[in-house]
Amino acid sequence: MAMAASPPRVLCAALLVLLASSLIWASCEAEAAGDGRRRLAMLPPRGWNSYDSFSWTIDEAAFLHNAQIMADRLLPHGYQYAVIDFLWYRKNANGSGEDSYGFDSVDQWGRPFPDPERFPSSAGGEGFKHVADKVHAMGLKFGIHLMNGISTQAVNASTPILDVDTGKAYVEDGRQWTASDIGLTHRTCAWMSNGFMSVNTDAGAGRAFLRSLYRQYADWGVNFVKLDCIFGTDYSPKEIMAVSETLKELERPVILSISPGTEVTPALAENITQHVDMYRITGDDWDSWKDVRPHFDVARSFADANKIGATGLRGRSWPDLDMLPFGRLTDAGVNQGPHRSTNLTFDEQLTQMVLWSMAKSPLMYGGDLRHLNDDTFDLITHPTLLKINHHTKNNMEFGYIHSERTSERNEHSGRSDLTNNGGTVLGLATCNDKNTGGWHSSSKDHICRGFGIQNDNASFCMSKAKLLPTSDGVTMSGVEDQAKFHLVGIDTNDGCLDASVSPMFSTCEQHSKQVWELTENGQLKSSYSGLCATMKSSKEGESETTGARAWTATGDKGEIYLAFFNLDTASRKIAVRVPDLEKVAGQKLARKHLCTCTEVWSGKSRSLMKGDISEVVSAHGSILFEIQC
C-alpha cells in the first residue's frame, strides 16, 4: 500500500509539522549541549549504520560518500550519527571472515586499529581522526562498532597495556602487566570466539586497558560507540558498568549503545539501563517478516515495564529494536557490499517504521544511501512518524481491539509461541496480566494449567526436574532454591522450558532462563525474565500471535495517535471503541465539532460520533490515526 499523494492543504500541513519537528529537535539538541554530557540522549538517537548494506566490508570512500548524503538529506530530519559497523580493523583478504583469526590490525598496546588498506587516512597512527574530522565538518557525529573486551590476537601476543597517566606500560605490584594477564579466555564472545574475549575489570590493569581504549577513541573524535557481545546471551553487567564509568571520565561525551540483544527481557535490563544510552532488545533484524514480527511482543514488554525513556547514562535510555533494513542491502556476515534490494514489501516496511516510531526506538537506517529512492526517503523522514518517535509519551500497546478477517491468508504463517500436542499455545506476559493465573502442582509432581472455556478437564502439563545450579551470574539462596525448578515436556526429549522472548524447549543447561517458580497466586514465573507463562488453546492464540495489534501514544499538544497493525497473512478489519480509547487517553473524544480524527496516510477524516474507529488493514500492513481535540 503506497501512501497516497496529499492534496495541497494536507501537504502544507505536513510541511508545517515537519518544520515544527525540526525546530523542536534543534531546540532539544541545543538544550542537551547546554547541559553538557548528562542530557545528550534525551531523545531516541537517529543515524545511519553501515552493517545492513556493507556487512564488514565498508571502506573510507564509501563511508564518507554515504555520510555526505546523510548530511545533505537526513540531517535536517534529526539523523545525525554516521556509524561504521564491525571489523573495521580486519583485512578483507582470502581466508578472512566474521570469526577468522590473525587478520586484525592491532597496535602496540593491544587496541584495534583501522585496516589501512580500507581506511588509508589511518596510516601513520592517525586512526579515525581524519574520517571523524570530515564527518564533523558535515555537521554529523561519528560512531564506530566495537566488540566487548580485548582482542584474542593481543592476548596471545601478550601486548603491554598503556597507562594513560604516564604514557608508558602499566605497572602494578612491581611488575608490568600485559593483555594475557587480563583476558578471560573462558569468556569469549559466543558468536566470535576467535576474535574477542572479556576483560577482568576487577584488576587495575583491566580498567587501565579500558581507559586507554576509550581515551584513544575520544582523541580520534568518536561520538558514538556500539558495543557488541556484552548484552543478552553474552550479558556482562560488570563490564557494562566498567565501560560506562570509563566513558564518564572522558572530556568528549560519547553515546553508549550496547547489543546484540538476543534473549533480552525487562528484568535483564533492570540494572543496566542507567549505565547506557540505548540497548538492543532483539537479535539482528534483517529484511524478512519473520524477523519483524517478534518485535511486537518484545516492544510491548518493555513498554509495559516503563523502560521507554528511563534514566540513562547521558539523560535517558532507549530500548533499541535494531536498524531499518530498507533500500539497497547486503547479507549477514558476507564479504560483499550492497548488491540487492530489501525483501520487505512496502507494507512491511511501513509497519516496521510505524512500530519503531510508536515504541520510540532509536532510528538507525541501514540501506546504502547512495541508492536511496524517494519512497524510502519519504518513509524514514515522514514528519508524523518522526514527531511520534521524539515527542510523544504514554506509548503502549492498546489491548481493547476487535478484529476479523476479510480475506483468506495468502501464505503459510509461522507461530512465535510454543504449541504443544496441536491444541495449546504457551506464551509470556507481564505477571499482572489476568491470563497468567491458573497454574497448579498436581499429585504426580507435574505443573499443569487448564485451558479453554467449554472443557474444564483440558489441561497442559510439564514435569518438574531437578534444579541445576546456574552459572550465569544469578545468585539464589538455599531457601529460594527449594521453591524453584526446571520444567521438561512430558514423554518428550525436548529438554527444559526456557524463557527467552518466546518460550521454547531447549537442552537443559545451567542458566537462569530455565528456572521457574510456582507462586501463591497460581502463576508460573520465570526467574530469568520476571515474566509469567500464559496458556491458551491454539485457536485462542491465533488472534494474538498472527492477528491484530494496536498502539497508542499522546503528543506534546495532547493529540492522540492510534496505530493498527495486521500481523496476519490475510486482510483484517480492525476496530476500537471510542469509549475504550477514552479510558486510555483520559479525555472525552466523541464531542461534536471539538475533536477530529484523521487517517494519516490518506488525509481523510473520520467521525468519532459513530462510537468506533475501524479500518480494513492489508496483510502485514498498518494504519495510523491522529486525533486532535
Side-chain angles (χ1 to χ4, degrees), residues 142 150 170 200 274 280 284 296 306 314 386 405 456 504 516 527 609:
F142 176 59
I150 190 167
Y170 182 82
N200 181 5
Q274 65 267 35
R280 279 270 296 281
D284 286 352
F296 283 86
N306 296 317
R314 302 197 184 282
L386 295 188
R405 278 189 182 168
D456 292 334
M504 66 186 76
W516 298 86
S527 297
M609 301 299 292

Side-chain angles (χ1 to χ4, degrees), residues 126-302:
E126 293 297 307
F128 276 130
K129 186 176 187 310
H130 293 296
V131 171
D133 286 346
K134 291 180 179 179
V135 169
H136 293 156
M138 298 174 191
L140 302 173
K141 296 181 179 180
F142 176 59
I144 57 175
H145 173 283
L146 301 174
M147 296 298 296
N148 175 49
I150 190 167
S151 164
T152 302
Q153 284 183 211
V155 171
N156 290 345
S158 295
T159 57
I161 296 167
L162 174 65
D163 185 334
V164 295
D165 295 326
T166 66
K168 300 177 182 179
Y170 182 82
V171 175
E172 185 180 350
D173 296 332
R175 72 181 181 92
Q176 179 176 303
W177 290 65
T178 71
S180 59
D181 296 316
I182 63 170
L184 301 179
T185 56
H186 64 286
R187 287 185 61 97
T188 58
C189 177
W191 58 273
M192 195 190 288
S193 58
N194 291 319
F196 289 82
M197 64 184 70
S198 290
V199 165
N200 181 5
T201 55
D202 291 330
R207 296 190 296 274
F209 175 76
L210 292 180
R211 282 194 294 272
S212 74
L213 193 69
Y214 289 98
R215 179 73 61 85
Q216 180 184 62
Y217 298 146
D219 290 343
W220 286 350
V222 171
N223 309 104
F224 180 105
V225 165
K226 177 184 174 182
L227 186 59
D228 213 332
C229 225
I230 198 169
F231 198 38
T233 304
D234 293 281
Y235 183 47
S236 182
K238 270 189 174 183
E239 287 178 280
I240 292 173
M241 294 177 190
V243 171
S244 182
E245 290 301 316
T246 301
L247 292 178
K248 288 180 182 178
E249 299 171 2
L250 300 176
E251 294 182 5
R252 173 183 293 278
V254 177
I255 289 285
L256 178 58
S257 166
I258 61 173
S259 65
T262 50
E263 300 185 7
V264 170
T265 63
L268 193 69
E270 184 65 35
N271 296 320
I272 59 91
T273 54
Q274 65 267 35
H275 301 288
V276 301
D277 299 295
M278 50 188 277
Y279 54 102
R280 279 270 296 281
I281 58 176
T282 69
D284 286 352
D285 173 60
W286 278 94
D287 54 323
S288 69
W289 181 249
K290 71 177 180 61
D291 281 354
V292 175
R293 185 176 55 200
H295 287 71
F296 283 86
D297 291 332
V298 181
R300 174 183 60 192
S301 295
F302 278 80

Side-chain angles (χ1 to χ4, degrees), residues 22-37:
S22 298
L23 290 174
I24 293 171
W25 169 75
S27 173
C28 290
E29 285 296 302
E31 177 189 2
D35 198 19
R37 290 172 288 179

